[in-house]
Amino acid sequence: MTDPSFRTIERADLLTAETSEGPQELKPRSLTDQAELAREVGAVLRLDGRTLDPTSIDVERRDDETMIINMGPSHPSTHGVLRLMLELDGEVVLRTKPVIGYLHTGMEKTGEELSYVQGATNVTRMDYLSPINNELSYSMAVEKLLGIEVPERAVWIRMMMSEINRISSHLVWMATNGMDLGSTSMMIYGLRERELILAFFEKTAGLRLNLNYVRPGGVAADLPDGWQDDVVVICDTIDARTYEYDELLTGQPIFRDRMIGVAPMTAEEALALSVTGPLLRSTGVPWDLRRTMPYLAYDQVDFDVIVGTYGDNFDRFAIRLNEIRESIKIVRQCVDMMPKGDYRTQDPKVTPPPRARIDESMEALIHHFKLFTEGFHVPVGEVYSAIESPRGELGCYIVADGGPKPYRIHVRAPSFVNLQAVPLLMRGGLMSDTITVISTVDPIMGEVDR
Amino acid sequence: MIALPPNAPSGVAVAEGLNTGVSCFPSRSSYHAFVASFREDGFELCADLCAVDYLTHPGRELPEGVSPERFEVVVNLLSLSRKERVRIRVQLPEMDPRVDSLFDIYPGSEAMEREAYDLVGVLFDGHPDLTRILMPEEWEGHPLRKDYGVGRVPVQFKEAPGPR
């Protein structure tokens, strides 16, 4: 019993040693300093969004009045491996601290070891629900560094695929959100509709999830024969079914009770916390990069930016539901306006020679071999390119040193940043509402941890 | 070329790439005040913050008057009202990679600064909770540094279990 590492009731700290994360963990109030406490209650912004207001933090509460519990990382409603430390007073959440990193696989480090050609296979695995958007952000950054223009057809294919991907991502969100609130029918319907889209992806790119379809210089393959019919069927089916979701969820009293007025956020708070995407738009800020800083050909299509008012759970739900409809609108216009031409740039530095040339030309074979072993060289420079992913601003910062591999690749993951809003949204809410808050913030853990 | 905010500290180099955007290069001492002047000038959102280790790529292009150092912290600011982006790059020496935290200007930079500390090992003065965020707490080293041994297995000279 003299062993100091032996767990006794006097050394209660040792009882939790096995699950402890050390300083990453939520600590009792007596061990937490003022600034950290303020962040954990989400009181990072008051008045002009800059100053802390100590009076709004109930620091005088004693430790034995509250309970710190751990939720996750393998909780079914945390959408993966998100772990939350919650301080509770009865049923009310006082402080929250998200603990992340359980899915960290060092993708930014891996990206430094892959050539620019291979890089798209890496980034597509970050946000696994919207792989096209990840590839798009990466490819646009590389193209900016190379200074190449993408053919018009490739631009429109990218735009159409990215919008179809946005629909499928929001459908999975609708499905899991329904699941979290106990509506298992929504879970089945959401995944059923997404299956249509995944089948189309398989037909186009050969894969269902991690597509590697958008690459620097264009897209991997042209759209398959008869793609218009498939896309029109997807649009018609999902468009009609969004009205079924309306009946199932939007007007349903139980669902409304759980969503309306729960976890509101103001625009100042959202901006100070760098929150983007549907979360920011739900607070009434009409900020959508597709409209405000157009990329691809978004300035040539007609769509609405959906904006909420109260920034509560219901606004976030309604925005995503209506964004599905807006995306369908864009996809329909893409079908009508799809130009003819090349689906990838004909710049021989980036694009391999056509298959037929390889059979008859030694130089073409060498060129093809060099492109896929060594890769193309990108001029020295650094660039940040951002697009609007289903979750917010998805940025890609690439530093190039003139070689065939990126010197540094950093992805600004919208889920990672949006997760900072969780302590603020949870504060003062009920324990049962934490589920809906996590759900409506919509973190994809593959992207959070990268 | 964008106009710098009226009350920005003077003597900050600005460079604009062909299609890579505007970069500003404040010194370490003027970095915090420089970012704060942008915040007052309508840049509401700190879009991104990351750190880069330039150990094996020293010959990068920098404007005159900016001496290259090993570490660089890159901040991307976004103005919603003016629809503009600006990039701020601050040089940090190898032996003392320490810079003021932006937490009091942009609370949303908190997680990004923790990530920069965790993966590159840059220290942020004034950050409320500078702990590891992605790597395990007991992890040694900062993985995105260029001299970090990838796949290195620490050798155990004692207490290593035998084959049986």
Side-chain angles (χ1 to χ4, degrees):
Chain A
M1 284 297 174
T2 53
D3 183 3
S5 66
F6 196 81
R7 294 174 202 163
T8 59
I9 196 67
E10 286 76 35
R11 295 296 310 278
D13 51 324
L14 293 174
L15 291 171
T16 55
E18 280 175 8
T19 54
S20 169
E21 288 289 332
Q24 288 184 26
E25 212 170 50
L26 189 68
K27 295 191 287 283
R29 280 168 188 256
S30 51
L31 300 175
T32 315
D33 67 19
Q34 181 82 19
E36 193 181 340
L37 195 66
R39 199 179 51 76
E40 285 164 1
V41 295
V44 284
L45 19 101
R46 292 287 177 267
L47 305 171
D48 56 351
R50 308 252 303 269
T51 42
L52 299 169
D53 182 8
T55 55
S56 73
I57 313 165
D58 42 357
V59 278
E60 298 307 320
R61 198 178 281 268
R62 285 180 20 235
D63 279 337
D64 57 357
E65 291 175 10
T66 62
M67 176 171 64
I68 292 179
I69 68 156
N70 176 60
M71 178 175 165
S74 51
H75 190 280
S77 70
T78 53
H79 293 205
V81 281
L82 173 64
R83 176 179 168 202
L84 291 174
M85 304 283 297
L86 302 162
E87 187 189 46
L88 300 177
D89 180 10
E91 190 78 346
V92 179
V93 179
L94 300 173
R95 286 192 290 155
T96 313
K97 187 167 184 182
V99 182
I100 61 174
Y102 292 94
L103 212 56
H104 179 60
T105 45
M107 283 166 140
E108 289 178 4
K109 188 77 176 173
T110 312
E112 295 172 5
E113 297 300 316
L114 299 175
S115 70
Y116 288 100
V117 184
Q118 296 166 326
T121 61
N122 184 36
V123 292
T124 189
R125 280 156 173 79
M126 289 181 181
D127 182 353
Y128 39 77
L129 289 184
S130 62
I132 299 263
N133 288 287
N134 283 288
E135 296 160 16
L136 184 60
S137 168
Y138 167 79
S139 300
M140 281 171 56
V142 176
E143 283 153 10
K144 274 186 191 169
L145 283 170
L146 284 167
I148 55 172
E149 283 279 322
V150 178
E152 210 183 344
R153 185 175 171 86
V155 168
W156 283 79
I157 293 178
R158 284 177 172 191
M159 193 161 79
M160 189 183 81
M161 293 297 272
S162 141
E163 287 308 313
I164 294 179
N165 203 184
R166 190 184 312 274
I167 299 172
S168 83
S169 173
H170 281 338
L171 281 172
V172 175
W173 179 80
M174 301 274 295
T176 49
N177 183 54
M179 181 78 169
D180 289 339
L181 293 170
S183 166
T184 41
S185 320
M186 191 58 233
M187 180 80 188
I188 297 165
Y189 296 158
L191 293 179
R192 178 186 65 183
E193 267 72 278
R194 177 181 179 240
E195 195 61 30
L196 286 171
I197 291 172
L198 292 187
F200 178 68
F201 281 168
E202 190 176 6
K203 203 171 171 181
T204 310
L207 295 164
R208 285 158 58 87
L209 279 179
N210 302 125
L211 302 173
N212 189 19
Y213 182 64
V214 179
R215 297 177 187 178
V219 294
D222 207 351
L223 295 169
D225 290 345
W227 61 272
Q228 289 99 334
D229 301 339
D230 292 335
V231 173
V232 167
V233 167
I234 289 175
C235 290
D236 289 347
T237 314
I238 295 177
D239 199 18
R241 289 195 179 149
T242 53
Y243 296 95
E244 292 179 15
Y245 307 156
D246 263 345
E247 279 179 36
L248 186 67
L249 296 177
T250 314
Q252 190 213 47
I254 299 172
F255 182 77
R256 291 175 77 89
D257 279 353
R258 292 289 304 274
M259 300 293 266
I260 293 179
V262 174
M265 181 165 58
T266 66
E268 289 76 32
E269 290 168 339
L271 287 173
L273 285 169
S274 300
V275 163
T276 49
L279 263 79
L280 178 60
R281 288 195 286 279
S282 75
T283 63
V285 181
W287 183 257
D288 187 327
L289 289 178
R290 294 178 290 170
R291 168 62 53 84
T292 51
M293 299 172 104
Y295 53 97
L296 296 181
Y298 279 111
D299 47 354
Q300 297 171 39
V301 291
D302 174 41
F303 67 100
D304 293 331
V305 175
I306 311 293
V307 175
T309 311
Y310 306 105
D312 61 352
N313 275 344
F314 191 78
D315 275 357
R316 298 192 272 272
F317 160 79
I319 282 176
R320 291 196 175 98
L321 179 60
N322 283 301
E323 275 189 3
I324 293 179
R325 292 175 180 146
E326 293 304 317
S327 291
I328 290 172
K329 226 156 91 181
I330 298 176
V331 172
R332 284 191 202 277
Q333 293 172 58
C334 289
V335 174
D336 292 339
M337 295 161 75
M338 180 69 70
K340 294 198 170 13
D342 280 327
Y343 61 91
R344 57 184 178 184
T345 176
Q346 286 306 315
D347 189 342
K349 281 192 88 65
V350 183
T351 305
R355 182 69 189 82
R357 286 278 298 151
I358 296 173
D359 290 341
E360 56 193 34
S361 162
M362 189 67 201
E363 286 74 26
L365 182 64
I366 294 170
H367 182 197
H368 187 277
F369 181 73
K370 284 285 275 184
L371 208 53
F372 282 101
T373 50
E374 189 187 343
F376 51 82
H377 291 247
V378 170
V380 179
E382 39 94 54
V383 71
Y384 178 81
S385 98
I387 64 158
E388 184 78 22
S389 97
R391 269 154 276 281
E393 174 175 325
L394 177 65
C396 189
Y397 180 70
I398 295 183
V399 180
D401 62 350
K405 292 172 182 173
Y407 184 75
R408 169 88 160 93
I409 172 167
H410 170 78
V411 173
R412 189 263 190 214
S415 307
F416 176 73
V417 182
N418 288 357
L419 211 54
Q420 295 184 97
V422 166
L424 177 78
L425 295 175
M426 297 250 187
R427 186 187 186 200
L430 294 178
M431 180 65 199
S432 55
D433 290 335
T434 59
I435 309 295
T436 58
V437 169
I438 299 170
S439 176
T440 52
V441 170
D442 191 20
I444 298 296
M445 296 316 287
E447 186 182 53
V448 171
D449 294 340
R450 298 188 298 286
Chain B
M1 194 68 75
I2 63 157
L4 289 182
N7 50 356
S10 57
V12 174
V14 180
E16 184 165 9
L18 186 60
N19 48 6
T20 54
V22 181
S23 299
C24 303
F25 297 84
S27 69
R28 182 155 57 145
S29 52
S30 64
Y31 162 74
H32 189 270
F34 191 69
V35 176
S37 71
F38 271 97
R39 173 70 177 82
E40 278 156 24
D41 198 38
F43 282 78
E44 298 97 340
L45 201 86
C46 173
D48 188 25
L49 186 148
C50 69
V52 185
D53 177 6
Y54 277 102
L55 180 67
T56 56
H57 177 37
R60 61 191 187 276
E61 285 175 27
L62 291 174
E64 274 183 45
V66 182
S67 59
E69 299 279 1
R70 177 173 169 185
F71 294 107
E72 204 175 277
V73 168
V74 185
V75 185
N76 275 288
L77 301 181
L78 175 65
S79 168
L80 273 63
S81 46
R82 283 159 41 186
K83 300 180 182 173
E84 271 178 11
R85 284 181 192 281
V86 68
R87 194 151 62 243
I88 293 166
R89 298 164 62 183
V90 58
Q91 310 288 324
L92 302 177
E94 175 171 10
M95 299 312 291
D96 183 29
R98 178 178 284 277
V99 73
D100 289 334
S101 169
L102 297 184
F103 179 72
D104 53 338
I105 308 173
Y106 295 106
S109 66
E110 186 264 337
M112 301 183 247
E113 286 183 349
R114 267 178 83 188
E115 188 194 349
Y117 159 73
D118 187 4
L119 300 181
V120 189
V122 174
L123 298 169
F124 293 91
D125 288 328
H127 189 284
D129 177 27
L130 199 64
T131 52
R132 288 190 180 272
I133 185 166
L134 295 177
M135 307 299 288
E137 190 51 45
E138 66 273 15
W139 197 265
E140 286 176 17
H142 301 283
L144 280 181
R145 287 193 176 188
K146 290 291 173 178
D147 52 1
Y148 179 82
V150 178
R152 176 193 56 188
V153 179
V155 181
Q156 293 186 337
F157 288 107
K158 54 183 180 181
E159 292 179 350
R164 297 198 186 282

